[in-house]
Amino acid sequence: MKILNHITKTVWVLSLVSLFTDTASEMLYPIMPIYLKTIGFSIVLIGILEGFAEALAGLSKGYFGKLSDNSRKRVPFVQLGYSLSAVSKPMMAVFVFPFWIFFARALDRLGKGIRTGARDAILSDEATADSKGEIFGFHRSMDTLGAVLGPVIALSYLYFYPQEYKMLFYIAFIPGLLAVLASFLVKDKIKTHSIEKKTTSFFSFLDYWKTSPAQYRKVVLGLLAFALFNSSDVFLLLKAKQAGLDDTNVIGVYIFYNLVFALSAFPIGILADKIGLRKMFIFGLSLFAIVYFGMAFSNGIYAIALLFFIYGVYAAATEGISKAWISTISDKKDTATAIGTYSGFQSIGALMASSLAGLIWYQFGADATFFTAATVTLLVIIYFSFFIKDKIIKNDTPT
């Protein structure tokens, strides 16, 4: 098919790996809090667990991205990262003591931190300046398809076997294992014989901020300003629940959002290559503002469903596009560091955003939470529209 002419074998394999992994992860996402409560975790302890796990993932993304660039190797990081995430799934069913649950959850998030920068650098290397959006969009479509399949499998299983949560962790190991096996089909294309050995400390990726291109710093500052108010999707689901949807419909609308995301990401990526990554990202932010203003002023079930549809298109227009954009404004030899550094800061920003959203919700109500995030997003749109120009570093010919 001509529409897939830029999708190489490597892109296909990495996309399938992400699909399998996300299927495994999202299979457990709806039942994770319920399962943890059944084995004695309090709400506070669940919050500490998730906060610790996400912080670990965030910080490690920058470090392992830098390590990948310094070693000029990608595939070992991808394979190790997906392997750790796969093995962590059954561990959470076998070991139920809090320390081991923390260890298993940390292992899962550490795996994400290890693989993210290296994987995205491989995707960037498979693209040209004119196909970045298409490549990253295709990968996000396949990845998010897993976020549709996972909850569907979980709901189907629990329909026949209510409250049999442990078995789901063993079932989730199957797609996780398939992801690991598929990752061995990817080969490094970077020549490493002339690479100088460099020492990489855990926080050495922060030095990249000082030496990175000015355009990179300007763009990432805007992205992080948005990340500080882009809270967890849990708040949208809570709003849906508040609007009158029952538990099944809440999970259903979450699956619907991911389906829209999965179907939209690839064509939106192709369109972004034609109109510009910056313009597409601004369009996505505009949709986010519409959704959050809508959540602040709407309570009808049909309105909520429409807003989740728009939210799926927003995600498709921003998540893969942001990484594609970063890969065009950073030097090719620093791609994993550039994306890993941004992804790491983004994870920390998301953690802070959710804490802030929870505080505003508690003090002033749900509407204030959504209105505040939408207002700040408008300011970020103005920043990207008038203070950031399109600029590409011309060194991204596929290897």
Side-chain angles (χ1 to χ4, degrees), residues 11 22 54 63-64 72 105 166 248 279-280 302 329:
V11 175
D22 222 46
E54 289 303 326
Y63 168 69
F64 286 106
R72 306 306 290 155
R105 187 73 178 119
K166 273 193 175 184
T248 302
K279 291 178 181 178
M280 181 57 73
Y302 294 109
I329 55 174

Side-chain angles (χ1 to χ4, degrees), residues 226-305:
F226 172 62
L228 285 173
F229 289 86
N230 183 14
S231 56
S232 168
D233 293 343
V234 167
F235 291 98
L236 292 171
L237 297 176
L238 287 173
K239 176 65 176 182
K241 178 74 172 175
Q242 194 179 78
L245 277 70
D246 59 26
D247 291 345
T248 302
N249 286 331
V250 168
I251 297 175
V253 83
Y254 177 71
I255 295 173
F256 172 64
Y257 144 71
N258 278 305
L259 181 60
V260 173
F261 183 179
L263 294 176
S264 303
F266 184 42
I268 281 179
I270 295 174
L271 181 59
D273 287 328
K274 298 182 183 300
I275 68 172
L277 299 171
R278 181 182 65 90
K279 291 178 181 178
M280 181 57 73
F281 191 82
I282 292 172
F283 170 70
L285 291 183
S286 302
L287 295 182
F288 179 92
I290 290 171
V291 170
Y292 269 58
F293 276 128
M295 287 289 181
F297 298 109
S298 301
N299 284 299
I301 293 177
Y302 294 109
I304 294 295

